[in-house]
Amino acid sequence: MLAYQHAYHAGNFADVHKHLAVFAVLRHLLRKPSPVTYVDTHAGRGLYSLDAEETQRLKEYRHGVASVWAARERFADDPLLGPWCEHLGAVQASSRLSHYPGSPWWLSQACRAQDRLDLYELHPGEASHLEAQALPDQVRCHHADGLAGLRASLPPATPRLCVLIDPSYELKQEYTDVATTLQAVAAKVRHAIVLIWYPLLPSGRHHDLLEAVRRSGVRKVWRSELQLHPPGDAMHGMYGSGMLIFNPPWGVDTQLEDSLARVVRCLGDDATHSSQWWVPE
């Protein structure tokens, strides 16, 4: 089950949601000089051309990053969205939106000399694209299972750990596998920060993940959901994007709530954002 390639969906509303959350966490981590190990369990290609054949087939970016990019001047005063758009502009050849950076790019931008970044990608084609990217010396690419690789690497050599977990969820088992992995991280690295992305689909399988996290005993988990439109039938596919953040840095929840309230106004009249402490401290 390695059919999924994110190039078909690059820059969609879920990417904006996910990477805005990643960016908010990274900005807080960079306030302290102590080294960080970053782990991306499902890295993908790293950088996506919006003109690529795969991306042009669905053009999901038009209802995601393109809408935010068009409004970027209005976001200049936003302490999170403004800098996020500036970083996004760094990968464009001109004022035209031509590329979308995946999570390896966002994470590598935060890598200092004392940090390290482990990128895992199991799909052979995607792993090949990833290894061809220009990445800092502190980055290591692994053509391997990211959840297994993460668990095997615990605890990290650095005093701080930040993990992004965003599988394709092609297999139903992945929902509970992710919850089990979070439990393993929390048990071995109590102060780790873990970001988990999940899709909102008409099947409602994300509830398996949410309930497994609730039952796991892991504390301090914040939940954010961005819906592009209300749930429809199975033919409508993904209608929303979810994020869980274990140990979010102080203030990240409020900052994301404020910025995402502005993002939803770019995504259409049906778009909404909601958040809550899924498991309190």
Side-chain angles (χ1 to χ4, degrees):
M1 291 295 292
L2 289 174
Y4 182 84
Q5 296 181 59
H6 191 65
Y8 290 96
H9 312 284
N12 64 5
F13 73 98
D15 270 356
V16 173
H17 184 207
K18 172 172 51 184
H19 296 139
L20 197 60
V22 169
F23 187 67
V25 168
L26 294 177
R27 282 159 59 87
H28 279 259
L29 287 173
L30 292 176
R31 293 178 180 178
K32 295 182 179 180
S34 58
V36 184
T37 293
Y38 299 103
V39 179
D40 188 345
T41 62
H42 298 77
R45 296 187 182 186
L47 184 65
Y48 300 89
S49 169
L50 299 181
D51 296 324
E53 180 182 352
E54 301 99 321
T55 311
Q56 284 294 311
R57 185 171 300 180
L58 299 176
K59 298 183 179 179
E60 290 186 5
Y61 65 88
R62 293 183 302 174
H63 304 294
V65 67
S67 298
V68 176
W69 181 250
R72 64 191 182 281
E73 292 183 2
R74 300 204 306 270
F75 298 148
D77 64 335
D78 189 290
L80 181 60
L81 271 173
W84 189 83
C85 288
E86 288 180 10
H87 277 68
L88 183 61
V91 299
Q92 316 305 325
S94 65
S95 60
R96 172 179 172 267
L97 186 67
S98 59
H99 289 78
Y100 186 78
S103 50
W105 187 89
W106 293 102
L107 292 167
S108 67
Q109 293 302 298
C111 258
R112 303 160 300 181
Q114 66 268 39
D115 301 326
R116 60 177 290 176
L117 168 58
D118 287 304
L119 302 173
Y120 290 89
E121 178 53 53
L122 190 56
H123 190 291
E126 299 296 274
S128 178
H129 281 289
L130 179 63
E131 290 171 357
Q133 299 291 340
L135 295 166
D137 293 338
Q138 305 94 307
V139 180
R140 298 190 303 183
C141 297
H142 308 269
H143 181 198
D145 182 301
L147 297 182
L150 168 62
R151 292 192 296 265
S153 70
L154 298 173
T158 59
R160 296 191 290 166
L161 173 66
C162 179
V163 179
L164 173 63
I165 302 175
D166 64 330
S168 63
Y169 297 98
E170 289 179 278
L171 299 175
K172 183 179 180 181
Q173 182 64 32
E174 287 183 294
Y175 291 97
T176 50
D177 286 347
V178 168
T180 301
T181 300
L182 173 62
Q183 189 174 15
V185 173
K188 292 193 175 183
V189 191
R190 186 164 56 93
H191 297 296
I193 299 172
V194 182
L195 300 100
I196 296 172
W197 176 83
Y198 58 91
L200 300 183
L201 297 164
S203 64
R205 286 180 176 171
H206 63 283
H207 292 295
D208 293 343
L209 166 63
L210 294 173
E211 290 307 314
V213 169
R214 192 195 290 278
R215 294 192 305 267
S216 70
V218 173
R219 313 301 299 173
K220 200 177 178 184
V221 181
W222 184 72
R223 174 187 178 189
S224 166
E225 291 190 349
L226 176 63
Q227 290 193 21
L228 192 61
H229 53 76
D233 58 37
M235 296 300 293
H236 287 86
M238 186 173 71
Y239 65 88
S241 164
M243 290 293 301
L244 295 177
I245 307 181
F246 169 61
N247 282 334
W250 185 86
V252 160
D253 54 340
T254 302
Q255 194 173 50
L256 280 169
E257 287 166 354
D258 293 344
S259 294
L260 287 166
R262 301 182 73 172
V263 167
V264 296
R265 292 198 286 270
C266 301
L267 300 180
D269 294 339
D270 292 330
T272 60
H273 174 253
S274 61
S275 62
Q276 66 179 127
W277 282 99
W278 181 243
V279 184
E281 190 169 4

